[in-house]
Amino acid sequence: MHKKLCLVALACAACSTATPERQIVNDAAAALGGRDRILAVKTLVIEGDGKNGNLGQDMTPEATGQAFALSDYKRAIDVAGHRARVEQTRTPNFAYFQGMAPQKQVQGIDGDVAYNIAPNGTATRAANAVAKDRNAEMYHHPLTIVRAALDPAAKLSNPRTAGAERVVDVTTADGVALTLAIDGTTKLPTRVVSMADNTNLGDVAIESSFSDYQDVGGFKLPSRLTTKTDHYVTAEIHAARQTVDEDAGDLAAPAAARAAAAIAGPPPAAVTVEEIGKGVWFLGGQSHHSVIVEFADHLTLIEAPQNDVRALAVIAKARELRPGKPVTEVVNTHHHFDHSGGIRAAVAEGLTVVTHKGNAVFYQTAVGRAHTIAPDALAKAPKPLKIEAVDGQLELKDATRTVYLYAVDGNPHSDTLLMAYLPQEKLLVEVDAFTPGAAAQPYAANLLENVKRRNLTVDRIVPLHGAIAPFSELVKAAGS
Ligand SMILES: [Zn+2]
């Protein structure tokens, strides 16, 4: 009896009656080149070209026209050593704030250390959240996901059919949750999906799609790889040359990045205060500034940038300046993610969002999105969005002061850009259209045109990046 049970168990393990979830992985492995071959893979190198989207920084929240053309693209994965590196040169197809010159990028992951190497060779450690995403990204390839799914320590679940695909959820031995889809007919992997946190969009699906499979050293490998974050295409890669188990180079994290302390989250906010007019304060201290304007019975905040940490600190500082007056609204300069990353925090604090009409639908959606992976202030205390959409211009006015908000029309930086004009102080608050001191000023001429068209008399520019500057600096930058 004992002997017979053993034989039955052996027979099942060896051949027949794989579970449906196991069958999907087995089918994919067979289609790609065979289980044993896949398990023996050590390195994978993909070279080619493609393009990157401009997630969160295009002309409108839903625009997709801006891209970086990629050349000298190389993605190297040390499968067994758990290291990966992407090197690429990217060239913008739009008026980029740093200018149009090609930029070399190097981004890697080595165990739990994510790192970037600047064109001058300086390596810096990236945040833990980046490391988590890059670790997941390593499985966004047919060979790596199927290899990980074949590991007995992986958990397979929820086998299903979706249209022409068979789909299975995979939790890898190192705890990464992914979804693998394969073509129902060819059995070749079509997609890998994992979830990630995005400050602005909350829980997002990162989906890599695979097509145009070709023969590479006994394997079938896709020569087109397309990646989306939520519904935004972030990368389209065309593999011109692929190799398995050839030299992948040294993929170890540079010593400087490895020695650096882990980065658990955004740095603590440092908020400096400078009164630049009676009842007008410039809040600086880090990369993204804000302005507070005092009215008779309330304060208006201009910009809640970056993330909860910065936005909540800026709101707290405003309350400190005039404890008797509520901060009732935030003027948002434009939708770009670094300038709107604190909008959800502002909503959580009860502020009305005043923004270009082109952002209204986007913020309505953003405020309603799930943030379960990294719950933010609004996720912990949900509130509806109160919004005031600016159509061309808007006066914020009471007995004590007027602030004019104007759309910056036709600016190549963004189609949803607002500037704020304080006539008493002759201050112009703006961001990105003109950054005092920046080497490239591709948007300054348009800003000057807008100032002239509105017949504004400006003494000083109050930029939300860089230092306050006399108007003459804008005139100079516009002519350069
Ligand atoms: Zn911007």
Side-chain angles (χ1 to χ4, degrees), residues 212-436:
D212 295 8
Y213 274 84
Q214 55 185 208
D215 294 309
V216 178
F219 292 98
K220 293 275 187 201
L221 298 183
S223 62
R224 293 211 175 263
L225 303 92
T226 303
T227 303
K228 285 199 271 185
T229 294
D230 202 71
H231 62 283
Y232 301 94
V233 175
T234 49
E236 291 178 45
I237 301 302
H238 164 241
R241 181 171 183 270
Q242 309 194 66
T243 58
V244 176
D245 289 344
E246 286 186 18
D247 183 12
D250 179 8
L251 302 183
R258 175 152 290 289
I263 303 166
V271 183
T272 59
V273 179
E274 182 190 352
E275 188 159 13
I276 53 175
K278 193 173 179 310
V280 184
W281 297 272
F282 181 66
L283 305 189
Q286 284 164 318
S287 60
H288 290 64
H289 316 320
S290 299
V291 169
I292 303 284
V293 184
E294 182 178 15
F295 287 84
D297 65 354
H298 70 275
L299 302 175
T300 293
L301 170 66
I302 303 177
E303 208 80 311
Q306 292 189 295
N307 48 44
D308 274 20
V309 172
R310 182 74 197 175
L312 292 174
V314 165
I315 293 168
K317 186 60 77 179
R319 289 173 178 153
E320 230 176 271
L321 289 168
R322 286 288 181 272
K325 292 188 181 180
V327 188
T328 58
E329 59 193 356
V330 56
V331 175
N332 162 248
T333 59
H334 61 311
H335 69 282
H336 285 174
F337 280 8
D338 58 320
H339 293 277
S340 61
I343 288 294
R344 282 176 54 91
V347 172
E349 291 296 308
L351 278 62
T352 295
V353 177
V354 183
T355 189
H356 191 287
K357 66 176 179 179
N359 300 324
V361 170
F362 178 66
Y363 291 149
Q364 195 70 55
T365 306
V367 160
R369 290 186 63 116
H371 281 242
T372 63
I373 295 168
D376 62 3
L378 190 62
K380 290 169 189 164
K383 279 205 178 67
L385 174 67
K386 292 178 284 178
I387 191 160
E388 175 140 27
V390 179
D391 184 1
Q393 69 180 77
L394 182 73
E395 278 178 42
L396 305 175
K397 185 178 171 63
D398 72 1
T400 63
R401 90 159 56 244
T402 304
V403 173
Y404 294 95
L405 303 180
Y406 296 115
V408 184
D409 293 325
N411 195 285
H413 183 71
S414 164
D415 281 333
T416 74
L417 199 59
L418 294 182
M419 59 184 179
Y421 179 61
L422 282 65
Q424 284 146 295
E425 297 80 7
K426 297 187 174 62
L427 298 175
L428 185 75
V429 182
E430 62 79 35
V431 75
D432 288 352
F434 169 50
T435 302

